Amino acid sequence: MSTYAQQYAQKLCSAADAIRHVRNGDTIVVPTGVGEPPALLTALSEARREFEGVQVSQILPVRKYDYLDPETAHHVRHRAYFFSGVTRPGGQQGLIDFLPAYFSEIPQLIRRGQFPADVVFTIASPMDEHGYFSLSLAPDYTMAAIEKARAVVIEVNPNVPFANGDCHIHISQVAALCESSDAIAEVGLPEIGPLQEAIAGYVAELIPDGATLQIGYGGIPDAVVMQLVHKKDLGVHTEMLGDGILKLVEAGAVNNSRKNINKGKTIATFALGSKKLYQFMHRNPGLEMHPVNIANDPYLAGANDNLHAINATMQVDFLGQCGSESLGHLPYSGTGGQADFVRAANRSNGGKAIIVVPSTAKGDTISRIVPTLTPGTHVTTSKNDVDYIITEYGVAQLRGKSAHQRCASLIAIAHPNFRDELRAQAKKMGLA
């Protein structure tokens, strides 16, 4: 038996035993999305009443674990870097706290001790012959947390791909490990309808051959992907690797040949998709998974010419401020990487920062283009950073434009039923 195999055997235990590395008052850092370790978090949930003051910090949980029980929050409490469907209700009820930050800067906040990281729980690939595991599904802020943590506890699963990039941890860094073999959670493509296709058509017209792409999650971004399959020499430098990007690779549209940095490589910081996507990642020489301070850094991402960042919002005001993460004061998601990539695209030679939004909500009864954001709304993309806003009615290019010009451009792409009312409001505000 090799030295690495001996260390593995010595550290192997049940999930119930592995979580005993957590102490009262600790903060456990868990990776984004499917990078979370189900067996460890289930064991923590089952034993939650045995702890006091433990906190779990994570972006985008995908499973609803029992530790989210509000009645046991004083034992184990969630602290969100970003809300998902399973944590949003608790966030809106004030039971789950929110930590605002640019996604790209979370590793720095962890290294500085401003975001605590006492223990890391993460899923990992099987160990290779050199004693390394791959945290391919989400190296994000987890690699920084590993540097700071007192204990790193991993859940080894043969369904986790061994990806290239800065996403590896050595057996010598691991305090304890357990094993599981459950399938990695899959997240399907959102539904695409005529509205999404209409918006996607405008976006696709703005993207030239040779562009480097950052594509967020959602029906509109995935509709955009379907209209890019005939493009040539596209590159990818993104935060989320999903099935939409996989479709572009399979179609031959993505080869990363014109990128200025990481030429020939698709770059991402977390994966969220299908089993086929996870298999595609395994030892793929054309893909690298990196921490978010690399993938989302505006300077690094923006060093690629023609970076086109495509993200979604929920509300846009007359100055172009985008409220993408809350409904008024009620949290809905989080800042994530939108602001990172808007700034990156603005830095890029030939880049475009594109924000997509349906013109209305609630069956065409509410305009998403508004004079001012709903009171309490968290501003995600500022008036100084916003560039393109696209609805199903057209394109408003705002960067470099005056307040009056912005207002007129946005009203022109609002739903026709609301344009007269919006013009009247603009006149009252001195913007028309």
Side-chain angles (χ1 to χ4, degrees):
M1 183 181 290
S2 71
T3 301
Y4 303 137
Q6 289 176 347
Q7 291 182 55
Y8 187 104
Q10 291 167 357
K11 296 175 179 182
L12 177 63
C13 59
S14 67
D17 288 336
I19 67 166
R20 295 302 161 184
H21 285 272
V22 177
R23 301 172 185 169
N24 290 338
D26 276 353
T27 292
I28 305 168
V29 173
V30 176
T32 303
V34 296
E36 67 188 22
L40 289 172
L41 291 175
T42 298
L44 178 70
S45 296
E46 292 172 349
R48 64 188 184 278
R49 291 177 177 83
E50 300 172 28
F51 294 100
E52 291 292 333
V54 170
Q55 300 190 89
V56 178
S57 293
Q58 183 187 11
I59 277 183
L60 203 66
V62 295
R63 297 175 178 85
K64 188 173 183 179
Y65 296 98
D66 287 346
Y67 82 80
L68 294 167
D69 178 359
E71 294 185 3
T72 57
H74 63 287
H75 295 290
V76 179
R77 182 185 179 96
H78 193 88
R79 298 182 83 204
Y81 299 146
F82 189 104
F83 291 102
S84 71
V86 300
T87 52
R88 189 175 301 127
Q92 294 184 350
Q93 295 164 24
L95 300 172
I96 293 176
D97 204 2
F98 175 51
L99 295 165
Y102 294 121
F103 196 2
S104 64
E105 294 183 0
I106 294 178
Q108 182 184 71
L109 291 165
I110 289 172
R111 290 189 175 101
R112 290 179 174 179
Q114 292 169 301
F115 281 8
D118 301 298
V119 179
V120 172
F121 280 4
T122 180
I123 203 164
S125 74
M127 186 176 71
D128 73 2
E129 65 272 25
H130 305 293
Y132 285 96
F133 306 86
S134 179
L135 310 187
S136 57
L137 298 175
D140 49 32
Y141 45 80
T142 309
M143 301 304 290
I146 286 169
E147 296 173 18
K148 293 287 290 186
R150 183 187 70 251
V152 178
V153 181
I154 66 173
E155 180 176 325
V156 180
N157 186 309
N159 298 305
V160 175
F162 196 105
N164 298 319
D166 184 5
C167 59
H168 303 135
I169 181 174
H170 195 262
I171 183 63
S172 60
Q173 298 171 273
V174 175
L177 61 92
C178 66
E179 294 178 335
S180 66
S181 58
D182 292 343
I184 305 303
E186 297 184 64
V187 178
L189 293 174
E191 184 176 343
I192 297 174
L195 183 147
Q196 289 81 10
E197 290 177 350
I199 295 175
Y202 288 115
V203 176
E205 290 176 4
L206 295 176
I207 299 175
D209 290 341
T212 293
L213 304 177
Q214 177 265 324
I215 303 177
Y217 178 78
I220 297 172
D222 280 309
V224 171
V225 164
M226 301 310 294
Q227 299 195 35
L228 299 179
V229 293
H230 302 298
K231 299 284 185 178
K232 298 178 181 178
D233 300 332
L234 296 176
V236 175
H237 188 119
T238 191
E239 63 178 16
M240 191 192 87
L241 182 70
D243 282 75
I245 290 172
L246 175 58
K247 287 181 183 295
L248 291 178
V249 174
E250 291 178 330
V254 168
N255 58 27
N256 295 294
S257 63
R258 297 200 207 174
K259 291 176 70 177
N260 301 79
I261 62 170
N262 305 116
K263 196 168 185 175
K265 308 288 185 183
T266 289
I267 302 297
T269 196
F270 72 93
L272 196 64
S274 65
K275 180 179 179 180
K276 183 179 180 181
L277 175 72
Y278 307 143
Q279 292 173 336
F280 162 80
M281 297 171 64
H282 186 65
R283 298 193 180 275
N284 186 336
L287 168 71
E288 291 184 0
M289 301 299 291
H290 284 278
V292 70
N293 53 294
I294 300 299
N296 284 39
D297 182 274
Y299 178 82
L300 294 175
N304 288 297
D305 291 344
N306 298 305
L307 176 67
H308 286 60
I310 306 160
N311 292 282
T313 193
M314 296 188 290
Q315 195 177 62
V316 184
D317 73 9
F318 281 167
L319 286 177
Q321 296 182 114
C322 298
S324 310
E325 57 192 277
S326 75
L327 301 169
H329 71 280
L330 293 174
Y332 185 83
S333 55
T335 304
Q338 180 174 130
D340 292 331
F341 278 100
V342 166
R343 291 181 296 155
N346 288 339
R347 292 183 61 93
S348 169
N349 180 30
K352 299 184 185 81
I354 299 167
I355 303 291
V356 296
V357 58
S359 65
T360 62
K362 294 188 176 180
D364 294 340
T365 62
I366 298 174
S367 176
R368 292 182 184 267
I369 305 295
V370 294
T372 59
L373 297 178
T374 302
T377 295
H378 306 173
V379 176
T380 308
T381 295
S382 77
K383 64 185 186 303
N384 300 332
D385 294 316
V386 70
D387 192 1
Y388 288 82
I389 301 291
I390 298 180
T391 73
E392 70 271 31
Y393 292 102
V395 180
Q397 196 280 314
L398 305 182
R399 195 165 171 81
K401 302 294 178 64
S402 71
H404 281 73
Q405 290 171 322
R406 289 175 178 224
C407 183
S409 295
L410 288 165
I411 291 173
I413 64 169
H415 193 285
N417 291 351
F418 292 95
R419 290 178 191 170
D420 288 344
E421 179 185 338
L422 291 170
R423 290 189 188 101
Q425 289 292 324
K427 190 172 182 179
K428 288 182 179 179
M429 296 170 65
L431 292 174

PDB file of all heavy atoms in Angstrom, residues 8-21:
ATOM      1  N   TYR A   8      -4.957   7.797   3.411  1.00  0.00           N
ATOM      2  CA  TYR A   8      -6.381   7.745   3.074  1.00  0.00           C
ATOM      3  C   TYR A   8      -7.112   6.806   4.030  1.00  0.00           C
ATOM      4  O   TYR A   8      -8.161   7.155   4.594  1.00  0.00           O
ATOM      5  CB  TYR A   8      -6.535   7.272   1.630  1.00  0.00           C
ATOM      6  CG  TYR A   8      -7.951   7.321   1.077  1.00  0.00           C
ATOM      7  CD1 TYR A   8      -8.329   8.312   0.190  1.00  0.00           C
ATOM      8  CD2 TYR A   8      -8.898   6.353   1.419  1.00  0.00           C
ATOM      9  CE1 TYR A   8      -9.618   8.363  -0.331  1.00  0.00           C
ATOM     10  CE2 TYR A   8     -10.183   6.389   0.915  1.00  0.00           C
ATOM     11  CZ  TYR A   8     -10.542   7.393   0.038  1.00  0.00           C
ATOM     12  OH  TYR A   8     -11.820   7.424  -0.474  1.00  0.00           O
ATOM     13  N   ALA A   9      -6.544   5.617   4.209  1.00  0.00           N
ATOM     14  CA  ALA A   9      -7.178   4.617   5.070  1.00  0.00           C
ATOM     15  C   ALA A   9      -7.269   5.101   6.521  1.00  0.00           C
ATOM     16  O   ALA A   9      -8.261   4.845   7.220  1.00  0.00           O
ATOM     17  CB  ALA A   9      -6.404   3.309   4.993  1.00  0.00           C
ATOM     18  N   GLN A  10      -6.233   5.810   6.965  1.00  0.00           N
ATOM     19  CA  GLN A  10      -6.222   6.305   8.339  1.00  0.00           C
ATOM     20  C   GLN A  10      -7.283   7.390   8.575  1.00  0.00           C
ATOM     21  O   GLN A  10      -7.826   7.508   9.671  1.00  0.00           O
ATOM     22  CB  GLN A  10      -4.835   6.870   8.675  1.00  0.00           C
ATOM     23  CG  GLN A  10      -3.754   5.797   8.777  1.00  0.00           C
ATOM     24  CD  GLN A  10      -2.348   6.388   8.804  1.00  0.00           C
ATOM     25  OE1 GLN A  10      -2.166   7.605   8.697  1.00  0.00           O
ATOM     26  NE2 GLN A  10      -1.343   5.524   8.939  1.00  0.00           N
ATOM     27  N   LYS A  11      -7.570   8.158   7.548  1.00  0.00           N
ATOM     28  CA  LYS A  11      -8.494   9.290   7.674  1.00  0.00           C
ATOM     29  C   LYS A  11      -9.928   8.938   7.291  1.00  0.00           C
ATOM     30  O   LYS A  11     -10.841   9.735   7.511  1.00  0.00           O
ATOM     31  CB  LYS A  11      -7.995  10.462   6.836  1.00  0.00           C
ATOM     32  CG  LYS A  11      -6.658  11.007   7.341  1.00  0.00           C
ATOM     33  CD  LYS A  11      -6.086  12.110   6.450  1.00  0.00           C
ATOM     34  CE  LYS A  11      -4.765  12.612   7.031  1.00  0.00           C
ATOM     35  NZ  LYS A  11      -4.194  13.724   6.238  1.00  0.00           N
ATOM     36  N   LEU A  12     -10.122   7.756   6.720  1.00  0.00           N
ATOM     37  CA  LEU A  12     -11.454   7.335   6.295  1.00  0.00           C
ATOM     38  C   LEU A  12     -12.323   6.990   7.504  1.00  0.00           C
ATOM     39  O   LEU A  12     -11.911   6.262   8.413  1.00  0.00           O
ATOM     40  CB  LEU A  12     -11.351   6.124   5.374  1.00  0.00           C
ATOM     41  CG  LEU A  12     -12.663   5.511   4.891  1.00  0.00           C
ATOM     42  CD1 LEU A  12     -13.450   6.512   4.053  1.00  0.00           C
ATOM     43  CD2 LEU A  12     -12.380   4.233   4.103  1.00  0.00           C
ATOM     44  N   CYS A  13     -13.532   7.528   7.517  1.00  0.00           N
ATOM     45  CA  CYS A  13     -14.465   7.245   8.609  1.00  0.00           C
ATOM     46  C   CYS A  13     -15.889   7.477   8.105  1.00  0.00           C
ATOM     47  O   CYS A  13     -16.104   7.817   6.939  1.00  0.00           O
ATOM     48  CB  CYS A  13     -14.167   8.138   9.816  1.00  0.00           C
ATOM     49  SG  CYS A  13     -14.280   9.914   9.483  1.00  0.00           S
ATOM     50  N   SER A  14     -16.843   7.302   8.966  1.00  0.00           N
ATOM     51  CA  SER A  14     -18.230   7.580   8.592  1.00  0.00           C
ATOM     52  C   SER A  14     -18.455   9.091   8.573  1.00  0.00           C
ATOM     53  O   SER A  14     -17.703   9.862   9.181  1.00  0.00           O
ATOM     54  CB  SER A  14     -19.185   6.937   9.589  1.00  0.00           C
ATOM     55  OG  SER A  14     -19.062   7.577  10.851  1.00  0.00           O
ATOM     56  N   ALA A  15     -19.500   9.514   7.885  1.00  0.00           N
ATOM     57  CA  ALA A  15     -19.839  10.936   7.886  1.00  0.00           C
ATOM     58  C   ALA A  15     -20.141  11.415   9.298  1.00  0.00           C
ATOM     59  O   ALA A  15     -19.773  12.534   9.684  1.00  0.00           O
ATOM     60  CB  ALA A  15     -21.032  11.186   6.966  1.00  0.00           C
ATOM     61  N   ALA A  16     -20.801  10.560  10.099  1.00  0.00           N
ATOM     62  CA  ALA A  16     -21.135  10.928  11.478  1.00  0.00           C
ATOM     63  C   ALA A  16     -19.890  11.191  12.310  1.00  0.00           C
ATOM     64  O   ALA A  16     -19.878  12.078  13.175  1.00  0.00           O
ATOM     65  CB  ALA A  16     -21.982   9.832  12.109  1.00  0.00           C
ATOM     66  N   ASP A  17     -18.836  10.411  12.067  1.00  0.00           N
ATOM     67  CA  ASP A  17     -17.576  10.635  12.783  1.00  0.00           C
ATOM     68  C   ASP A  17     -16.812  11.827  12.203  1.00  0.00           C
ATOM     69  O   ASP A  17     -16.168  12.583  12.934  1.00  0.00           O
ATOM     70  CB  ASP A  17     -16.704   9.383  12.714  1.00  0.00           C
ATOM     71  CG  ASP A  17     -17.230   8.252  13.577  1.00  0.00           C
ATOM     72  OD1 ASP A  17     -17.970   8.545  14.547  1.00  0.00           O
ATOM     73  OD2 ASP A  17     -16.931   7.079  13.281  1.00  0.00           O
ATOM     74  N   ALA A  18     -16.887  12.008  10.888  1.00  0.00           N
ATOM     75  CA  ALA A  18     -16.127  13.087  10.242  1.00  0.00           C
ATOM     76  C   ALA A  18     -16.556  14.463  10.727  1.00  0.00           C
ATOM     77  O   ALA A  18     -15.727  15.366  10.889  1.00  0.00           O
ATOM     78  CB  ALA A  18     -16.285  12.994   8.729  1.00  0.00           C
ATOM     79  N   ILE A  19     -17.848  14.630  10.997  1.00  0.00           N
ATOM     80  CA  ILE A  19     -18.326  15.956  11.412  1.00  0.00           C
ATOM     81  C   ILE A  19     -17.897  16.309  12.827  1.00  0.00           C
ATOM     82  O   ILE A  19     -18.092  17.447  13.271  1.00  0.00           O
ATOM     83  CB  ILE A  19     -19.863  16.072  11.282  1.00  0.00           C
ATOM     84  CG1 ILE A  19     -20.557  15.145  12.284  1.00  0.00           C
ATOM     85  CG2 ILE A  19     -20.314  15.812   9.849  1.00  0.00           C
ATOM     86  CD1 ILE A  19     -22.045  15.449  12.444  1.00  0.00           C
ATOM     87  N   ARG A  20     -17.288  15.369  13.529  1.00  0.00           N
ATOM     88  CA  ARG A  20     -16.839  15.653  14.894  1.00  0.00           C
ATOM     89  C   ARG A  20     -15.650  16.604  14.917  1.00  0.00           C
ATOM     90  O   ARG A  20     -15.197  17.027  16.001  1.00  0.00           O
ATOM     91  CB  ARG A  20     -16.501  14.350  15.622  1.00  0.00           C
ATOM     92  CG  ARG A  20     -17.732  13.464  15.832  1.00  0.00           C
ATOM     93  CD  ARG A  20     -18.801  14.192  16.606  1.00  0.00           C
ATOM     94  NE  ARG A  20     -20.132  13.579  16.452  1.00  0.00           N
ATOM     95  CZ  ARG A  20     -21.241  14.078  16.965  1.00  0.00           C
ATOM     96  NH1 ARG A  20     -21.191  15.207  17.654  1.00  0.00           N
ATOM     97  NH2 ARG A  20     -22.400  13.480  16.777  1.00  0.00           N
ATOM     98  N   HIS A  21     -15.130  16.940  13.752  1.00  0.00           N
ATOM     99  CA  HIS A  21     -14.086  17.965  13.691  1.00  0.00           C
ATOM    100  C   HIS A  21     -14.665  19.363  13.870  1.00  0.00           C
ATOM    101  O   HIS A  21     -13.913  20.329  14.013  1.00  0.00           O
ATOM    102  CB  HIS A  21     -13.331  17.864  12.356  1.00  0.00           C
ATOM    103  CG  HIS A  21     -12.387  16.702  12.302  1.00  0.00           C
ATOM    104  ND1 HIS A  21     -11.078  16.781  12.732  1.00  0.00           N
ATOM    105  CD2 HIS A  21     -12.573  15.420  11.888  1.00  0.00           C
ATOM    106  CE1 HIS A  21     -10.495  15.598  12.574  1.00  0.00           C
ATOM    107  NE2 HIS A  21     -11.383  14.756  12.068  1.00  0.00           N
TER     108      HIS A  21
END
